[in-house]
Amino acid sequence: PELRALATHTTEAAAAALANGMSQVLDPTGRVRLIGGLRAIPGEEGREALTEAARRDPSPEARTAALSALADMLDGGELLAVAGEGLGDPSLLVRRAAVGLFSRIPPGVGLPVLIRGLRPGDDPTVFAVASEVLAPSFREFADFALRMHDDGDEALSVVQIARRLTHPDLPRLLPVLARSRSPEVREAIASLWTGRPDTADAASLAALTLDPAAGVRRTAARAAAAIRSWISAR
């Protein structure tokens, strides 16, 4: 396919040769190389081939390469759709790449799709990438957190992101989440304060130590001990 592309006389024909080759090359490394060629050639045919590869190529490496290529070729609703679909990919490699695409999407549009597409139990590195993407848009992130249902997967994903965020206003957001109707969310906030004692709110933590859920009380007690140690070490 690469040789056929080199023998063509127009960029459209070159893109077509590489796109057709995606279904002919069985080696994933070869398809990744073809994706690199398509990335360098502007045009609708290349974008369509890359979108198809991002969605259906059997190789996680090829799907990841296609997503990275599309970051420079798509915008608006098309990029949002591809990124949103990538969040549900079975490959951790692809999901991390999909999260990274949201840095190119306005937060008012992309942030709700990103948080709703995350899985609360996903690998920590996924949430680490999400926190990097959302850090410049903390105000929008906080507004979303205050408007969402406080007892579902969205709330748990918000806590996972908050665990990795550094912002001066973060301590003001966490007490609101600590009043969630969900014991899982309340326990997640107590766990966050265990690792981030600098963000803890004394009154909210005290309330969690008296929580009706035993798991929340145990985690809150560990958070209180961590905060005492942190204060003593300062």
Side-chain angles (χ1 to χ4, degrees):
E2 291 168 307
L3 291 173
R4 288 196 294 271
L6 288 171
T8 60
H9 299 289
T10 65
T11 56
E12 291 80 4
L18 294 177
N20 291 334
M22 289 293 294
S23 61
Q24 300 166 4
V25 176
L26 300 181
D27 176 41
T29 302
R31 293 200 301 279
V32 170
R33 195 168 64 240
L34 292 179
I35 287 168
L38 286 167
R39 184 176 194 164
I41 302 175
E44 185 63 28
E45 187 145 17
R47 286 195 296 272
E48 290 179 358
L50 289 171
T51 301
E52 181 70 13
R55 288 170 171 162
R56 297 182 176 85
D57 195 283
S59 163
E61 291 77 14
R63 296 198 301 276
T64 300
L67 278 179
S68 298
L70 288 168
D72 297 321
M73 304 176 76
L74 298 180
D75 54 22
E78 291 180 317
L79 184 59
L80 181 64
V82 169
E85 290 176 19
L87 294 176
D89 195 278
S91 166
L92 173 60
L93 192 67
V94 177
R95 294 198 300 278
R96 284 199 300 251
V99 172
L101 292 183
F102 283 87
S103 64
R104 296 174 175 264
I105 300 171
V109 176
L111 189 151
V113 176
L114 172 57
I115 293 178
R116 289 166 184 156
L118 292 171
R119 308 168 186 174
D122 208 341
D123 189 271
T125 59
V126 172
F127 292 102
V129 177
S131 69
E132 292 177 5
V133 169
L134 295 176
S137 309
F138 181 84
R139 188 176 300 278
E140 290 85 351
F141 171 74
D143 287 345
F144 177 87
L146 294 173
R147 293 196 310 268
M148 70 182 179
H149 294 293
D150 67 355
D151 57 351
D153 284 353
E154 291 178 14
L156 288 170
S157 292
V158 163
V159 177
Q160 289 279 22
I161 295 169
R163 181 187 295 270
R164 295 159 177 87
L165 276 175
T166 301
H167 192 277
D169 290 334
L170 180 62
R172 300 179 186 177
L173 172 63
L174 300 181
V176 179
L177 298 174
R179 296 193 293 271
S180 167
R181 292 168 293 177
S182 165
E184 289 81 6
V185 175
R186 299 196 301 274
E187 184 172 355
I189 289 293
S191 177
L192 187 160
W193 282 334
T194 303
R196 298 277 306 276
D198 58 306
T199 66
D201 176 76
S204 298
L205 181 58
L208 292 182
T209 62
L210 302 174
D211 196 272
V216 178
R217 295 197 302 274
R218 285 193 295 268
T219 306
R222 288 195 292 270
I227 292 168
R228 285 195 295 270
S229 297
W230 175 72
I231 292 173
S232 298
R234 294 180 66 185

